[in-house]
Amino acid sequence: MRFVVEIGKEWLWDDVPPRTIELDGAVAGPRIDPDGQRYSFDHHARCVRLATGAACRQVLDALLLGLDPRGFTVLLNDVDADSALAAWLLARRDAALAPGALPRTRAVVAAVGEADAHGPAYPLERPGLFFGCLDALGPALAARAAGYPNGGDAA
């Protein structure tokens, strides 16, 4: 799996090559092209926010339904708790879906997905899971604030 991080870039759906996964706004709107194996897991544009789960929720659902991301290119245009968790799920699919880990994976995805999709006014069932993810992202968020580089260094 290859990760491409270009901060602030929005790719056009028609320009994205086969076997590409776009996360959290890298391409506007949630879209699926099963023939070209292209997947946009987005909840920001061209969707109803109350009816569309966060990117990490969409990715977990796709993995549970059989998506095998090995050999794909993953496009990101920012790093936050939602996109980082979605990328981790793709990169560590087997660990995330392992029978002993799956309940915890679901709980973390629910916490991050609810907070990211609905904002701070949304009452979280397990806020510690969300804030734990934010703590784990500390170095990445500090790098983002400092204007981090593109590509592999950002990943």
Side-chain angles (χ1 to χ4, degrees):
M1 183 175 311
R2 178 175 164 255
F3 288 88
V4 175
V5 181
E6 292 193 35
I7 305 309
K9 179 176 175 117
E10 186 176 308
W11 287 266
L12 297 175
W13 177 255
D14 292 338
D15 295 339
V16 174
R19 298 191 55 78
T20 303
I21 297 170
E22 306 86 39
L23 296 178
D24 205 25
V27 165
R31 300 185 68 166
I32 294 175
D33 169 16
D35 294 332
Q37 296 183 324
R38 299 181 304 160
Y39 303 88
S40 174
F41 298 114
D42 183 30
H43 65 110
H44 294 282
R46 299 184 185 138
C47 66
V48 177
R49 297 267 317 221
L50 285 174
T52 306
C56 62
R57 170 85 255 170
Q58 294 177 47
V59 166
L60 178 58
D61 288 343
L63 294 173
L64 288 169
L65 292 169
L67 176 65
D68 181 352
R70 288 179 291 193
F72 275 74
T73 297
V74 179
L75 305 178
L76 295 106
N77 65 358
D78 197 7
V79 178
D80 63 8
D82 181 29
S83 61
L85 180 54
W88 182 87
L89 291 166
L90 292 166
R92 302 291 310 271
R93 180 191 82 156
D94 293 343
L97 301 184
L102 188 54
R104 177 84 169 162
T105 298
R106 287 178 185 263
V108 171
V109 167
V112 171
E114 290 167 357
D116 188 78
H118 303 299
Y122 193 84
L124 298 178
E125 183 177 336
R126 297 177 70 184
L129 292 175
F130 173 69
F131 291 112
C133 286
L134 289 183
D135 289 344
L137 275 175
L141 296 176
R144 178 174 70 177
Y148 49 12
N150 288 328
D153 292 338

